[in-house]
């Protein structure tokens, strides 16, 4: 019972050992990436809305999904899982409160705020704290939902109630992904039309809208990026297949680029990664994309033995350079020729990975929201700790290009978003394995 109170990253990190990687092997081969983490989490939360069973195909087997399914069960949903297919029936769901221990496992539990309001007109969640990559306050969520008629009270919890949800115009001060998703979830069955101005443009938002429309919702994105939600009385069950995870695609492309390899990702053509791919090409990688809807929808990358630096770049909301690929890119830039500067404009604590990379011989200087990287000819194996999800993936990329053996602990963080990173990389020729027990230097 005591372990249940730990967050997933802590519990997995403690009990699932570490990753051991011997670097210096160019990656080659073909691979299919998992379903999208950032798309499936709001989709799962949205299953609370309406009645009837929803079958989600290509649902990745990752820690955040496991925890979201557990929350759905505790709210009274029937949840069945077989491989990558999940069936959720919320017909009997009657609970509107998420306990502190449940929410502590997963930041995206905040998405149940809009879903519970939409279904029950009441939602009770713990006050969200910070996370490893920085503060994520929900004031934007609260103000957006207040525009639809929700009332909030804060003590040691967030308590939201609504006699009735009514459509209105919601203008977001920042294109927050979570606030956009929560507003969509609350508005889907509200009375009237909701307009979301300055809505987030991430493809995962459009996938949530696509899923809800399959259930009978009436949602569209206009040419200028606004989202119109015309509330409907009820939502039905459906079957939906989750698209490929663009962040995993980017991570594996970087792995190939870092090692001077060549790989083909067979189920994602990188159409949602244009800003990222432009950086890879600037660094000297060759990128060939197959057209969407073609005979083979994929993306191939080939890389020289040593990449060039990236110059100056900064993270930005979609369609800019994704913050989720900032840490993995930093790891690759550590051995690229020349200097690079990354400015992090989304999360203030996403440079924690730098301290671990320096242990491998990297030269990184942090100045506020800017990381200056001077590429070195060689990185060296070390004993490391994953600081967060994407930072953990970055350390794996550092280890793949390093000389010698690297041991990475805290891998529960990596398991939150990567279905089986060691399996996938082994398919491409990497020397990587998961080891139970403690790491000895």
């Amino acid at each position: 019972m005591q372990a249940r109170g730990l967050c997933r990253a802590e519990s997995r990190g403690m009990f699932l050992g570490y990753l051991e990687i011997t670097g210096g092997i160019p990656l080659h081969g073909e691979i299919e990436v998992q379903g999208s983490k950032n798309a499936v989490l709001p989709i799962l939360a949205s299953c609370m809305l309406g009645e009837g069973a929803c079958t989600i195909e290509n649902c990745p087997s990752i820690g955040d999904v496991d925890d979201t399914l557990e929350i759905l069960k505790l709210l009274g949903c029937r949840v069945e899982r077989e491989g990558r297919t999940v069936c959720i029936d919320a017909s009997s769901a009657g609970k509107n409160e998420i306990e502190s221990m449940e929410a502590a496992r997963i930041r995206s539990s905040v998405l149940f705020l809009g879903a519970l309001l939409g279904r029950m007109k009441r939602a009770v969640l713990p006050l969200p704290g910070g996370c490893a990559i920085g503060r994520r306050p929900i004031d934007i969520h609260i103000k957006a939902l207040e525009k639809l008629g929700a009332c909030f009270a804060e003590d040691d919890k967030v308590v939201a109630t609504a006699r009735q949800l009514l459509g209105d115009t919601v203008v977001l001060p920042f294109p927050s992904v979570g606030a956009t998703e929560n507003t969509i979830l609350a508005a889907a069955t509200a009375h009237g039309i909701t307009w979301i101005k300055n809505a987030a443009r991430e493809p995962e938002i459009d996938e949530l809208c696509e899923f809800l429309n399959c259930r009978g919702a009436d949602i569209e994105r206009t040419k200028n990026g606004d989202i119109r939600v015309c509330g409907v009385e009820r939502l039905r069950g459906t079957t939906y297949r989750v698209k490929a995870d663009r962040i995993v695609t980017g991570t594996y492309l970087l792995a190939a680029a870092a090692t001077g390899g060549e790989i083909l990702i067979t189920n994602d053509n990188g159409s949602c990664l244009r800003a990222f791919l432009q950086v890879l090409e600037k660094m000297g990688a060759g990128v060939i994309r197959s057209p969407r809807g073609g005979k083979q929808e994929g993306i191939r990358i080939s890389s020289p033995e040593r990449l060039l630096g990236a110059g100056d770049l900064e993270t930005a909301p979609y369609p800019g350079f994704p913050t989720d690929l900032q840490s993995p890119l930093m790891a690759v830039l550590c051995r690229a020729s020349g200097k690079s500067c990354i400015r992090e404009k989304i999360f203030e604590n996403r440079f924690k990975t730098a301290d671990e990379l320096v242990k491998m011989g990297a030269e990184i200087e942090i100045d506020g929201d800017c990381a200056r990287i001077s590429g070195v000819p060689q990185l060296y194996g070390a004993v490391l700790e994953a600081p967060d999800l994407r930072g953990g993936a970055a350390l794996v990329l550092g280890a793949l290009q390093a000389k010698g053996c690297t041991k990475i602990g805290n891998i529960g963080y990596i398991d939150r978003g990567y279905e089986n990173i060691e399996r996938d990389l082994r398919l491409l020729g990497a020397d990587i394995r998961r080891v139970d027990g403690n790491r000895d230097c």
Side-chain angles (χ1 to χ4, degrees), residues 73-128:
K73 291 177 186 177
L74 293 167
L75 291 172
C77 298
R78 178 175 61 84
V79 177
E80 297 177 357
R81 178 163 198 164
E82 184 174 346
R84 291 183 175 176
T85 299
V86 175
C87 184
I88 299 164
D89 189 342
S91 300
S92 59
K95 188 177 176 183
N96 56 38
E97 181 172 356
I98 299 177
E99 302 291 343
S100 297
M101 284 196 304
E102 300 158 13
R105 299 175 183 177
I106 176 173
R107 168 68 199 187
S108 60
S109 60
V110 73
L111 293 175
F112 283 91
L113 184 57
L116 287 171
L117 275 172
R119 180 184 178 88
M120 302 178 183
K121 306 301 182 284
R122 177 178 168 83
V124 182
L125 283 77
L127 284 170

Side-chain angles (χ1 to χ4, degrees), residues 4 42 46 48 64 68-69 124 150-151 156 162 164 172 178 206 235 262 279 296-297 346 364 384:
R4 185 179 178 185
S46 75
M48 284 293 298
D64 278 8
T68 301
L69 295 179
V124 182
C151 297
D156 58 340
Q164 190 177 47
L172 298 178
D206 293 317
L235 297 174
E262 180 176 354
V279 173
Q296 187 175 42
E297 183 180 307
I346 308 298
I364 306 172
L384 309 173

Side-chain angles (χ1 to χ4, degrees), residues 38 174-177 198-204 246-247 272-276 278-279 312-327 329 341-348 350-351 369:
N38 291 337
F174 175 82
S176 160
V177 172
N198 198 29
R201 299 183 182 227
E202 273 70 7
E204 294 81 9
R246 65 190 175 105
I247 304 303
C272 297
L273 287 170
R274 288 189 176 92
F276 166 76
Q278 288 172 0
V279 173
D312 295 340
L313 65 93
E314 65 179 44
T315 62
Y318 189 85
F321 190 93
T323 182
D324 281 349
L325 286 172
Q326 179 262 106
S327 293
L329 177 65
C341 179
I342 303 176
R343 193 171 296 277
E344 175 55 60
K345 304 297 287 185
I346 308 298
F347 295 120
E348 72 276 9
R350 245 195 172 140
F351 288 149
D369 64 357

